[in-house]
Amino acid sequence: MTGQQPIRFGTDGIRGRAGELLTPNLALSLGYWVGEVLRQTTDAPQRPFIIGQDSRNSSDMLATALAAGLTAAGFEVWNVGLCPTPCIAYLTATTEAIGGAMISASHNPPADNGIKIFGSDGSKLSPDLQKEIEAHLNAGLSLPHTEQWGHLHHRPELLQRYRHAVQAPLEDRQPLRGLRVVLDLAWGSAVSVAPTVFHALGAEVIALHDRADGDRINVNCGSTHLEPLQQAVRETRAAMGFAFDGDADRVLAVDSQGRVVDGDHILYFWGQRLQSQAQLPKDLIVATVMSNLGFERAWQARGGQLVRAAVGDQYVHAEMLRHGAMLGGEQSGHILCRHYGVGGDGLLTAVHLATLVQDSRLSLAQLRDQSFTAYPQILRNVRVEDRQRRLHWQECEPLQQMIAKAQLDMGDRGRVLVRASGTEPVIRVMVEAEQQSVADYWTETLVQTVTAHLAA
């Protein structure tokens, strides 16, 4: 590792361009040190480790190298193969596994990849364990010699355990019988399981981008490019559509008119459902700093509480545990419901939203009309290649002064959020206001400020 940039866990594991940051050597070393660090956390160190991957061309390489590091540390490795990230979280939490890893860069383009690590409870590793692993990686030491080799086992049948867990609470009554849905599988992990689950629950499925394709994963499709799904829903007269990201841990929906139903809407609908069933403690939902003010105020008008976490499902999860909340998520479509699991799960969310709509005897479009009016919200990304400038943007005085001016101008009728992305080399600028013109003005002003003082 000598001479390479320091390895850092971001908001969703280690992520970067395959072959540059994410090399076979890194994955080999990471596998070894993840194994060694996790071994210290248990009294039963011989437990297996589970690996899954998305469809990217580099995923086989990274999964193989990671498994080599783990077997060098003496671990049995179960490789599930192509599967959603929540499948690995579920299997890690419900088997004797000591931990798990998912090879994926989520919604990023095909050339990127990433490695997400899970503990034995299915949650992302704690910051302390991540720092310990980083310290070993950055030390640049050769792997210690050992003859206690582990073994690699290919276990694709484990995917069926996850599939059964998603559909089992609902399949007896086939709640989606007669429902026509369009699924955009983004050429990624969702192809391995989503159509099968929707069929099993009675739905008529129209699938887009429905095979594993490492050259096209997330390209002009999936949860970050909703246009193909919107067009297909309208043309096929489907009741609704769902778009997954590359590793299927998040989902966005569209109604029969092609209108977006984002994570805020999903939290609002699912929150109402749980509230009516007395399954939402304190009527509390955990959202993030990105969630729309219109959603927050509408939920408060129902007597609910909303707590905001930092962006990233691990931060949402932490706040849910801290407050005893059962429902939380992100506007981008990471939804966590602790009644069913410990992490964001796009397929589980899609199935439960579709079931909720069917049970309501209303269409998704009608539910959307009855929910809340979102404030105009604009999100712009400014590419900032210099890592130090990007991570220490708060020290830029001209930007801080402009943010203060914007907040003063909008008062309680809007808000500003500027942050460094944890997954891409960009500064994200979000402005939300009651009036579109105000949001437009301050977004452009702040983007220009970031460009002039950080991106130049």
Side-chain angles (χ1 to χ4, degrees):
M1 302 301 297
T2 303
Q4 294 192 28
Q5 60 179 301
I7 303 305
R8 293 287 183 269
F9 283 84
T11 56
D12 207 15
I14 298 173
R15 189 179 299 186
R17 195 170 183 86
E20 294 179 6
L21 173 65
L22 285 159
T23 64
N25 285 340
L26 170 62
L28 175 68
S29 297
L30 178 64
Y32 182 86
W33 290 116
V34 164
E36 288 297 297
V37 169
L38 289 183
R39 178 178 279 122
Q40 300 167 16
T41 67
T42 178
D43 294 330
Q46 300 308 312
R47 293 154 62 187
F49 192 95
I50 302 177
I51 296 177
Q53 65 187 72
D54 70 14
S55 61
R56 294 165 202 275
N57 295 333
S58 58
S59 290
D60 283 345
M61 173 267 289
L62 292 171
T64 301
L66 188 73
L70 286 156
T71 55
F75 283 88
E76 300 294 303
V77 177
W78 297 350
N79 190 325
V80 180
L82 183 71
C83 66
T85 290
C87 172
I88 298 303
Y90 169 78
L91 291 173
T92 304
T94 57
T95 67
E96 67 270 33
I98 196 172
M102 180 68 183
I103 313 298
S104 176
S106 191
H107 62 280
N108 283 31
D112 291 347
N113 216 323
I115 304 176
K116 311 177 187 184
I117 309 295
F118 299 90
S120 60
D121 63 352
S123 299
K124 303 280 178 67
L125 282 191
S126 70
D128 288 342
L129 290 180
Q130 290 181 10
K131 288 177 182 176
E132 189 174 348
I133 294 167
E134 285 178 3
H136 287 297
L137 291 174
N138 293 329
L141 302 175
S142 298
L143 303 188
H145 176 72
T146 177
E147 294 183 359
Q148 300 299 314
W149 315 120
H151 296 87
L152 172 63
H153 306 275
H154 292 280
R155 302 289 304 275
E157 79 282 358
L158 292 174
L159 178 63
Q160 302 313 312
R161 293 195 195 181
Y162 165 71
R163 177 185 62 78
H164 178 72
V166 172
Q167 69 189 48
L170 304 168
E171 63 185 345
D172 287 346
R173 61 188 182 96
Q174 279 204 316
L176 307 185
R177 187 187 302 274
L179 182 72
R180 178 179 295 174
V181 298
V182 180
L183 304 180
D184 184 345
L185 308 175
W187 309 113
S189 291
V191 305
S192 64
V193 65
T196 303
V197 168
F198 270 88
H199 278 303
L201 297 177
E204 175 190 346
V205 176
I206 299 165
L208 309 177
H209 316 116
D210 58 346
R211 61 184 175 84
D213 190 331
D215 290 319
R216 294 191 283 180
I217 183 171
N218 295 323
V219 177
N220 299 319
C221 62
S223 62
T224 54
H225 300 277
L226 295 176
E227 295 82 4
L229 178 65
Q230 292 168 312
Q231 180 179 349
V233 167
R234 289 191 293 260
E235 289 180 350
T236 61
R237 297 186 178 181
M240 64 190 73
F242 296 99
F244 301 93
D245 63 344
D247 66 335
D249 66 348
R250 71 181 189 183
V251 69
L252 292 178
V254 301
D255 66 16
S256 58
Q257 301 174 34
R259 296 179 300 176
V260 177
V261 177
D262 65 14
D264 288 345
H265 289 101
I266 296 170
L267 287 173
Y268 186 82
F269 299 145
W270 208 344
Q272 284 182 307
R273 174 73 166 254
L274 294 175
Q275 189 181 46
S276 69
Q277 297 171 339
Q279 294 185 39
L280 195 68
K282 306 173 190 175
D283 295 333
L284 174 64
I285 293 175
V286 175
T288 76
V289 291
M290 290 298 296
S291 284
N292 197 279
L293 272 173
F295 160 47
E296 179 177 13
R297 291 180 179 175
W299 183 246
Q300 290 171 339
R302 289 184 56 86
Q305 302 180 61
L306 190 138
V307 171
R308 292 183 184 265
V311 172
D313 60 343
Q314 63 180 327
Y315 302 117
V316 173
H317 183 237
E319 286 297 306
M320 289 174 67
L321 294 178
R322 191 162 77 89
H323 292 278
M326 298 302 291
L327 181 66
E330 300 186 90
Q331 190 183 61
S332 61
H334 281 116
I335 307 297
L336 295 78
C337 184
R338 290 177 56 216
H339 291 294
Y340 300 100
V342 298
D345 189 329
L347 177 57
L348 186 144
T349 298
V351 164
H352 279 268
L353 178 59
T355 301
L356 180 156
V357 173
Q358 286 289 85
D359 290 347
S360 75
R361 301 187 183 278
L362 297 172
S363 69
L364 181 57
Q366 289 172 314
L367 286 176
R368 189 184 186 282
D369 288 339
Q370 296 174 11
S371 59
F372 60 87
T373 300
Y375 280 29
Q377 186 183 85
I378 303 173
L379 176 63
R380 293 271 297 276
N381 295 328
V382 184
R383 197 166 186 88
V384 178
E385 297 288 355
D386 187 303
R387 178 183 175 85
Q388 292 306 311
R389 284 188 179 185
R390 189 170 71 248
L391 296 181
H392 299 284
W393 66 268
Q394 298 97 326
E395 297 172 9
C396 178
E397 190 60 30
L399 178 56
Q400 292 294 346
Q401 291 175 357
M402 197 60 69
I403 292 172
K405 287 182 180 179
Q407 293 283 24
L408 182 63
D409 177 70
M410 291 187 291
D412 62 359
R413 301 183 306 279
R415 63 193 184 97
V416 171
L417 175 66
V418 177
R419 66 182 183 89
S421 170
T423 58
E424 299 175 81
V426 298
I427 296 289
R428 304 197 195 278
V429 176
M430 189 276 286
V431 178
E432 191 173 73
E434 286 184 348
Q435 296 180 318
Q436 184 71 52
S437 60
V438 174
D440 289 337
Y441 172 79
W442 282 114
T443 300
E444 188 59 35
T445 300
L446 290 166
V447 166
Q448 289 178 3
T449 305
V450 172
T451 301
H453 295 279
L454 293 175

